[in-house]
Amino acid sequence: MPLVIPHWAPEAPLQALRLAWLERAGVEVAVLRLDQIDTLVSGNKWFKLIGHLQEAVARGAEGLISLGGAHSNHLHALAAAGRRFGFPTVGLLRGHARETPTVVELRTFGMQLHWLGYAGYRARHQVDFWTPWRERYPALHPVPEGGGGLPGTRGCAALVAMVRAQLPRLGWRDYHAWWLAVGTGTTLAGLVLAEDADVPVHGALAVPADHGVADQVRALLAQAGNREAGYRLIEASRGGFARMDAELLTFMQASEEESGVPLEPLYTAKALLALRRAVEAGEFAAGSRLIFVHTGGLQGRAAAMAACRESG
Ligand SMILES: *Cc1c(COP(=O)(O)O)cnc(C)c1O
């Protein structure tokens, strides 16, 4: 049965973020709660998927196949979308079969899983990687790791209109900048594409700066026909992707208690801590209004915290 996606345009609430260090600096922040779009599907990964789903529909595919790790927010969003809209999904996983909270949910959502090992997963960028999977699942549309690429970028551009529509509720006429966590830069590129050139997008890097994110963002914007650079990337990984330290975890828990907004340590807490640094360094004048994107990821929170306790 060809894939049909019913019209579904979930709205993420935009809420005032109340934290003492923001108040002291006179900086106002509104948080776009992508973690709250739905009970099943969550985070920026849904918006990155929209463009890929549209491609799949256009090609007459019946479902989607993609790849990721055993804690992948992307595979989680894909499997949840398959469950919500009733299409088949297949996940190709890094490493060897193991149970994580994410893996258990993927299976509950009905995703069919294949474990590629580590070497097998590393081969994902080779030209013939998809050939055997296309033969095995000819009716499924392949989606790159993380839901990236130009289709992923275009889906995230919708976030700008979503924020603008909710400004009156906050009593805001406008805002001066965006702030969000960056992995591949797909979400950031989508915001840059849709936003006015005089509203910069600040990306707090959850991966080390030498992972080629800057090149990736430049390539995405060039592909989309927009070379204007209304953005900057800030180192925020604290030594590497998924690296956690006591300062980060203390900050995360204190922020959650004070603001009532749940965070996770891989992306959103790192981005908020980097924002605190920038605010306390005086990078935003008193009276500035910022949009902080809560990119989701809460499904992986418990496992990330457990891994942190294990490694001491
Ligand atoms: C994937 C992810 C990001 C990074 O998004 P990119 O588009 O790859 O930059 C940020 N936050 C969370 C919670 C994510 O799952």
Side-chain angles (χ1 to χ4, degrees):
M1 223 185 7
L3 176 60
V4 179
I5 303 297
H7 182 71
W8 189 60
E11 181 155 299
L14 183 69
Q15 306 168 340
L17 183 67
R18 303 209 189 284
L19 291 162
W21 50 270
L22 288 170
E23 242 152 73
R24 274 199 299 276
V27 172
E28 286 185 81
V29 174
V31 54
L32 183 66
R33 300 287 304 272
L34 300 186
D35 59 312
Q36 288 197 335
I37 54 175
D38 183 51
T39 51
L40 283 186
V41 190
S42 170
N44 64 334
K45 298 301 186 286
W46 163 253
F47 296 91
K48 293 173 73 169
L49 262 179
I50 292 172
H52 295 286
L53 280 168
Q54 286 165 345
E55 279 194 347
V57 169
R59 288 180 188 178
E62 293 175 7
L64 281 82
I65 177 170
S66 192
L67 64 186
H71 302 289
S72 168
N73 292 330
H74 162 64
L75 285 184
H76 191 271
L78 175 58
R83 161 56 73 85
R84 168 155 308 297
F85 300 120
F87 62 80
T89 57
V90 172
L92 308 179
L93 283 132
R94 182 200 297 123
H96 304 291
R98 63 191 177 116
E99 294 297 299
T100 65
T102 305
V103 166
V104 170
E105 287 222 303
L106 296 180
R107 226 183 273 116
T108 308
F109 290 147
M111 178 175 261
Q112 180 151 3
L113 306 180
H114 297 279
W115 295 87
L116 302 188
Y118 291 97
Y121 196 82
R122 270 196 299 277
R124 68 195 179 280
H125 301 303
Q126 290 171 12
V127 280
D128 54 356
F129 173 83
W130 284 104
T131 310
W133 297 109
R134 262 201 213 101
E135 278 163 14
R136 181 153 178 182
Y137 296 108
L140 300 192
H141 180 67
V143 177
E145 193 180 31
L150 203 50
T153 296
R154 293 224 161 96
C156 293
L159 299 177
V160 173
M162 189 182 295
V163 159
R164 287 183 184 164
Q166 295 185 73
L167 292 178
R169 205 191 300 150
L170 288 178
W172 288 18
R173 213 168 6 92
D174 56 6
Y175 51 86
H176 304 106
W178 291 81
W179 193 282
L180 79 159
V182 164
T184 63
T186 309
T187 308
L188 174 134
L191 297 176
V192 173
L193 270 186
E195 188 52 273
D196 298 337
D198 61 346
V199 179
V201 183
H202 302 260
L205 284 166
V207 297
D210 61 5
H211 275 209
V213 181
D215 291 341
Q216 240 158 259
V217 171
R218 221 172 290 126
L220 281 170
L221 291 174
Q223 266 174 282
N226 180 332
R227 269 159 247 260
E228 259 168 69
Y231 69 94
R232 74 167 174 140
L233 298 172
I234 304 125
E235 159 60 36
S237 79
R238 309 185 68 81
F241 180 64
R243 284 280 184 85
M244 295 167 229
D245 54 76
E247 187 196 354
L248 175 73
L249 296 173
T250 306
F251 169 79
M252 180 176 92
Q253 275 154 2
S255 306
E256 289 178 329
E257 270 171 38
E258 193 184 349
S259 68
V261 176
L263 301 167
E264 46 65 57
L266 271 48
Y267 292 102
T268 48
K270 284 183 178 178
L272 191 62
L273 183 50
L275 176 59
R276 178 175 177 158
R277 289 264 157 80
V279 165
E280 291 186 337
E283 286 182 32
F284 295 102
S288 297
R289 289 183 294 279
L290 314 179
I291 305 293
F292 181 91
V293 184
H294 191 312
T295 41
L298 298 177
Q299 66 87 21
R301 187 187 195 279
M305 298 303 285
C308 178
R309 275 193 296 276
E310 266 165 41
S311 66

